[in-house]
Each structure stands twice: as structure tokens, then as C-alpha cells.
């Protein structure tokens, strides 16, 4: 990424592009350029060794005109207000594209969670919730897991919020363990959703999925479940990777066997019958479909031209830099942008909230069926707009996402 780009300048440039294409009212553009509320708190806890730990906590609520705020909480060293604001803005567009009644938010605590004990993480989570409790709630702002937070973190959030309000409120957070109101199918939703989009896109570019070669960067939650879903459709998963490197096998891999190997050895590398490759080689590997499912800024000006895939499905948030985006477009590579490709996670989070509010528990089949319907509709809404506007898929996704939010602001008006 060029040095002048920050996550927020990229997000604002994307909004500007959508605003121009939509001929958006300049007042609405101004409103959407900034978050409605940014909260900065000092999260002070007693460490195990009796010293005091002071951590910076952030919650950014972008816009809530389509419904309550929704977005993950990440525990990560060096997170900034700028980055969290950009991610909150993207969540607003993502919820709008998925057509679920939420606005975007994001939060985080600036911490290297691997260095804290479980007890310290619990105290950190509960103290953070207590500091922002008045801005949270099932009809205000509903957090979810993100990098280095998980179902256990969400259980602590639910308990702290409920204790402070005086009664049990499972609908205040999603991504919880199933036994306390979590939804079936939430864990695999993002990866499965990516492959629903791939299926639709493949039909549009006349790519046969049977034996189509798939390379996936990142073999965590999203990468593994995307690999499993692609394998289930008859694709050949030829390469996968994690932070220590990747593997390639032209004959195709069985994702479950690779996961078992990773659980045993700590890495996907040295899997029987495969060649070890680097993460850079994975991006440039011979394949039909490339799925970045790890970090941001992996497809750049340096490697975009070397990509051999016909399709790139962005499972990760922001894996392609703006310069690389232009190169992929020039190469006529079919791109499924992040705000569309990975919206399956927040979609099943929405299903979890609906189940909690109605005190129901849906079967896995029901959740998966509804997820497929939502993803297929979202993909086709974006695709139709890209055809009408003769634009690339990222621009069309932004136009759809921003357009629905702008229309809600216009209808509601500005009070007082
Ligand atoms: P995860 O922590 O479960 O997995 C991340 C994977 O990336 C791990 O396999 C890790 O080893 C690998 N990785 C880390 N550094 C790497 C590197 N330098 N090169 C290659 N691989 C590397 O995370 P996740 O939940 O699977 O999320 C992956 C991406 O998807 C993130 O960008 C996240 O923001 C995005 N996303 C996740 C969800 C969700 O529901 N989990 C929803 C939307 C978007």
C-alpha cells in the first residue's frame, strides 16, 4: 500500500467514489464520512502479579439509520482510532449489502492478548464493557467476535452486560457459545458465505466448479471453512497456508486431513504429498480461484500482475490495495469484494440476535438455508448493479451499500 494510504483514507476514498457514482447529496456524503460516535476509554485492570495494567479501549459507532450498531471487538496491539473507524464504516456498507437491519460499528482494546492470562483477559473484557455499557444493548449496539476474541469473550460480555442491567440479556451480543444462546452454524458462516458467492460468480464467468483449482491464504476459521465448502462442491483445493507458510498439491487436498495435521504439528507445512511454498508463492500459484483469508494488504502493486487465478474472492477484510485493485480490473479478473464476500458472518450473527429476541433456537439446516438465500441475493443485487452501471464489482457493492444507507437518511430527515 502506498505510504499515503491509511485504512481510513482508503475507506473515505471508496465512499467518495460511491457518492460520485450515486450523485449523492453533498450533505449526506458529509454525514457518512464521519462516525456518529467515537468512544475512547482507559481500561484499567489488576494484573495477576498485583501491578496495574492500563489499556486503551475503543468503540466506534458509524451510522445506525437502518438499525442498531453491529460489529466486532478485536484485541490487538497498536490498534488505532483511524483503523477502527474505517472498519466501522465498512460494517455499515456490509450490513446494508446483506440487507440486514443494522448500522456499522467496531471496537477494540490495544493489547497483545497472547501475553495475558485467562483471568486478566476476563477482567479486561468486563472492565471495557462496564465503561461503555450505556452505549451498548440489543437495540443500541451489539458486539461480536473479531481478531483474538472468541465465543468465551462474548460470554463474558453477555454476563457483564446482564449483571449490570439486573437480568439475563443474551441478545446483547452475538457469536456466543451455543449453550448460552449462540446460533448453530455461526462459526462456519463466513467461509460458507464466501463459497456461496464463488458459486454464483463462477456461473457468470462460465467457470466449472468441478475440479476448479482453489488456493486459500490463511487456514484459520474463515480459510478452513471456505476450503471445506469448496471441497464439498467438487473443487480441488490445491494450496493453503498459515502464518508459517503454505503447501501446494496439484492433485488436491482434503481440508479435514490438513486441519488434523495442523492441530498435531502447529502448521499446515510438511503435509504428506505436498510441496512447501511461501505465502507469496501462494498468491501467485497456478489456480482458478484465489481466496485471501488472512490479513489485509496481501495483494499489492508488486504481485497483482503475477496472479494466475480467474477469480479472487476476498474473504479477509481489505486484502487488496487500491493500486492492486486497478491491476486486477485491467487483467479482467473476476473480483468478489470483501464487503460482499465475507458478509455471511454478520448475517448469521443477525440470525442469532433474531433467535435470542424471539427465544427460539433454529436447526443448522434452517440457518444454512437462510444463509444461502441471503448470500445469493446479496451477490446478485451487486452483480446486477455492476451490469447496469458497467462498473466493477467493488464499485457496485459500495454503490449498493452506501445507496441504501443514504436513502434511509433522506427518508428519516435530520432532526432537529
Ligand atoms: P483466524 O485468526 O481464525 O485465522 C487467520 C489465519 O491467517 C490463521 O490461519 C493464521 O495462521 C493466518 N495468518 C496469519 N498471518 C498470516 C500471514 N502473514 N500469511 C498467511 N496467513 C497468515 O481469523 P479468521 O476469523 O479466519 O479471519 C480471517 C480474515 O477474515 C480476517 O481478515 C478477518 O477480518 C476476516 N473476517 C472474518 C470473519 C469471521 O466471521 N471470522 C468475518 C468477516 C471477515
Amino acid at each position: 500500500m502506498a505510504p499515503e494510504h491509511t485504512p481510513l483514507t482508503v475507506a473515505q476514498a471508496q465512499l467518495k467514489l460511491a457518492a460520485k457514482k450515486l450523485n449523492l447529496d453533498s450533505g449526506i456524503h458529509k454525514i457518512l464520512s464521519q462516525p456518529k460516535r467515537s468512544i475512547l476509554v482507559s481500561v484499567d485492570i489488576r494484573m495477576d502479579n498485583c501491578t496495574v495494567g492500563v489499556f486503551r479501549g475503543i468503540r466506534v459507532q458509524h451510522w445506525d439509520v437502518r438499525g442498531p450498531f453491529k460489529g466486532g471487538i478485536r484485541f490487538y496491539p497498536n490498534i488505532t482510532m483511524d483503523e477502527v473507524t474505517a472498519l466501522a464504516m465498512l460494517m455499515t456498507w456490509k450490513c446494508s449489502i446483506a440487507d440486514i437491519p443494522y448500522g456499522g460499528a467496531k471496537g477494540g482494546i490495544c493489547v497483545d492478548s497472547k501475553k495475558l492470562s485467562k483471568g486478566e483477559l476476563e477482567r479486561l473484557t468486563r472492565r471495557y464493557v462496564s465503561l461503555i455499557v450505556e452505549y451498548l444493548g440489543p437495540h443500541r449496539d451489539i458486539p461480536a467476535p473479531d481478531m483474538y476474541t472468541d465465543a468465551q469473550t462474548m460470554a463474558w460480555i453477555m454476563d457483564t452486560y446482564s449483571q449490570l442491567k439486573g437480568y439475563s440479556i443474551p441478545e446483547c451480543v452475538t457469536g456466543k457459545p451455543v449453550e448460552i444462546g449462540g446460533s448453530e452454524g455461526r462459526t462456519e458462516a463466513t467461509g460458507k458465505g464466501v463459497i456461496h458467492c464463488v458459486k454464483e460468480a463462477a456461473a457468470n464467468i462460465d467457470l466449472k466448479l468441478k475440479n476448479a483449482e482453489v488456493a486459500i491464504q490463511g487456514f484459520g476459521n474463515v480459510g478452513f471453512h471456505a476450503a471445506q465448502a469448496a471441497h464439498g462442491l467438487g473443487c480441488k483445493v490445491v494450496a493453503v497456508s498459515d502464518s508459517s507458510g503454505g503447501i501446494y498439491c496439484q492433485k488436491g487436498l482434503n481440508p479435514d486431513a490438513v486441519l488434523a495435521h495442523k492441530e498435531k504439528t502447529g502448521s499446515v507445512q510438511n503435509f504428506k504429498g505436498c510441496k512447501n511454498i511461501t505465502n507469496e508463492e501462494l498468491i501467485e500459484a497456478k489456480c482458478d480461484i484465489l481466496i485471501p483469508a488472512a490479513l489485509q494488504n496481501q495483494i499489492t502493486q508488486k504481485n497483482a500482475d503475477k496472479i494466475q487465478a480467474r477469480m479472487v474472492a476476498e474473504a479477509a477484510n481489505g486484502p487488496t490495495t487500491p493500486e492492486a485493485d486497478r491491476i486486477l480490473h485491467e487483467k479482467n479478473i473476476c473480483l468478489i469484494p470483501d464487503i460482499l464476500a465475507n458478509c455471511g458472518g454478520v448475517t448469521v450473527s443477525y440470525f442469532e440476535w433474531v433467535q435470542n429476541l424471539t427465544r427460539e433456537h433454529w436447526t443448522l439446516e434452517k440457518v444454512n438455508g437462510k444463509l444461502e438465500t441471503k448470500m445469493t441475493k446479496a451477490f446478485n443485487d451487486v452483480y446486477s448493479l455492476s451490469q447496469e452501471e458497467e462498473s466493477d464489482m467493488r464499485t457496485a457493492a459500495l454503490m449498493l451499500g452506501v445507496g441504501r444507507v443514504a436513502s434511509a437518511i433522506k427518508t428519516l430527515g435530520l432532526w432537529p
Side-chain angles (χ1 to χ4, degrees):
M1 190 154 70
E4 68 271 19
H5 296 313
T6 69
L8 190 55
T9 57
V10 172
Q12 282 174 334
Q14 290 179 341
L15 171 62
K16 194 169 167 189
L17 171 71
K20 189 165 168 229
K21 296 278 282 179
L22 289 163
N23 205 9
L24 205 66
D25 174 271
S26 66
I28 293 182
H29 181 188
K30 260 198 266 178
I31 289 175
L32 290 175
S33 304
Q34 300 298 328
K36 183 171 180 182
R37 189 176 288 119
S38 306
I39 309 166
L40 185 62
V41 290
S42 178
V43 191
D44 312 330
I45 60 160
R46 182 71 61 195
M47 305 301 282
D48 289 348
N49 65 5
C50 290
T51 59
V52 171
V54 175
F55 303 88
R56 183 215 304 250
I58 297 172
R59 184 72 177 167
V60 175
Q61 299 175 330
H62 181 240
W63 276 97
D64 60 348
V65 283
R66 287 173 46 89
F69 296 108
K70 182 94 190 82
I73 291 177
R74 56 175 62 178
F75 288 174
Y76 206 70
N78 307 323
I79 53 167
T80 60
M81 188 59 97
D82 179 286
E83 182 186 342
V84 178
T85 304
L87 290 165
M89 193 185 274
L90 293 184
M91 276 305 290
T92 305
W93 317 145
K94 200 181 289 187
C95 294
S96 165
I97 291 166
D99 207 7
I100 51 180
Y102 289 136
K106 204 77 174 189
I109 303 181
C110 205
V111 59
D112 185 350
S113 62
K114 287 181 193 156
K115 294 195 177 142
L116 267 61
S117 69
K118 192 171 176 188
E120 288 167 338
L121 285 173
E122 177 173 356
R123 293 196 289 282
L124 187 76
T125 307
R126 290 182 182 277
R127 179 82 175 196
Y128 170 72
V129 173
S130 76
L131 288 162
I132 60 172
V133 68
E134 290 315 320
Y135 299 100
L136 300 178
H139 302 289
R140 286 188 187 156
D141 183 350
I142 308 129
D146 200 88
M147 282 158 74
Y148 295 102
T149 57
D150 57 15
Q152 175 62 74
T153 323
M154 300 307 113
W156 291 329
I157 292 178
M158 172 183 154
D159 188 62
T160 310
Y161 186 85
S162 300
Q163 293 298 328
L164 289 171
K165 296 292 168 185
Y167 60 105
S168 175
I169 312 171
E171 57 272 26
C172 72
V173 64
T174 62
K176 301 177 291 289
V178 171
E179 65 268 27
I180 55 164
S183 179
E184 305 291 341
R186 172 62 185 89
T187 313
E188 57 269 42
T190 308
K192 265 187 195 288
V194 171
I195 301 304
H196 288 315
C197 287
V198 164
K199 198 171 146 191
E200 294 300 304
N204 292 338
I205 60 167
D206 212 12
L207 172 66
K208 302 261 172 304
L209 285 179
K210 181 105 189 90
N211 291 325
E213 295 181 349
V214 181
I216 304 178
Q217 189 197 44
F219 202 63
N221 177 324
V222 179
F224 167 69
H225 287 106
Q228 214 184 31
H231 185 70
L233 284 179
C235 298
K236 259 202 296 182
V237 179
V238 292
V240 297
S241 70
D242 57 28
S243 54
S244 45
I247 48 174
Y248 178 87
C249 173
Q250 213 272 323
K251 281 194 288 190
L253 302 156
N254 179 327
D256 292 317
V258 178
L259 182 67
H261 170 79
K262 183 175 161 73
E263 279 171 353
K264 206 160 115 199
T265 66
S267 153
V268 297
Q269 286 215 309
N270 303 317
F271 185 67
K272 206 169 69 200
C274 291
K275 185 173 107 183
N276 282 341
I277 57 170
T278 63
N279 264 300
E280 291 72 33
E281 286 167 336
L282 184 136
I283 297 280
E284 298 164 17
K286 187 187 157 296
C287 63
D288 300 300
I289 302 165
L290 173 65
I291 305 182
L295 308 171
Q296 58 205 31
N297 302 333
Q298 296 301 295
I299 303 178
T300 66
Q301 212 165 3
K302 285 197 189 129
N303 61 11
D305 205 31
K306 298 183 194 137
I307 288 177
Q308 303 188 51
R310 287 179 64 193
M311 184 193 298
V312 174
E314 294 183 332
N317 281 317
T320 311
T321 65
E323 294 79 18
D325 220 13
R326 279 191 284 279
I327 299 171
L328 297 187
H329 187 57
E330 277 159 24
K331 278 169 64 98
N332 204 20
I333 291 176
C334 164
L335 179 111
I336 311 175
D338 49 5
I339 47 177
L340 168 63
N342 69 32
C343 73
V346 71
T347 300
V348 175
S349 272
Y350 161 64
F351 296 159
E352 179 175 330
W353 179 71
V354 171
Q355 290 171 74
N356 294 157
L357 286 170
T358 55
R359 299 294 183 257
E360 282 190 26
H361 188 75
W362 300 349
T363 62
L364 181 61
E365 291 67 35
K366 180 165 174 175
V367 171
N368 283 342
K370 287 173 89 72
L371 173 66
E372 182 165 8
T373 306
K374 275 277 187 204
M375 293 303 301
T376 306
K377 167 97 170 45
F379 180 91
N380 286 303
D381 285 350
V382 173
Y383 182 71
S384 306
L385 192 59
S386 79
Q387 296 292 296
E388 266 167 47
E389 295 288 328
E390 296 180 357
S391 76
D392 59 274
M393 286 286 281
R394 195 186 306 281
T395 306
L398 286 163
M399 285 175 74
L400 183 70
V402 173
R404 284 178 177 162
V405 178
S407 154
I409 294 185
K410 211 167 152 192
T411 310
L412 289 167
L414 205 52
W415 180 84

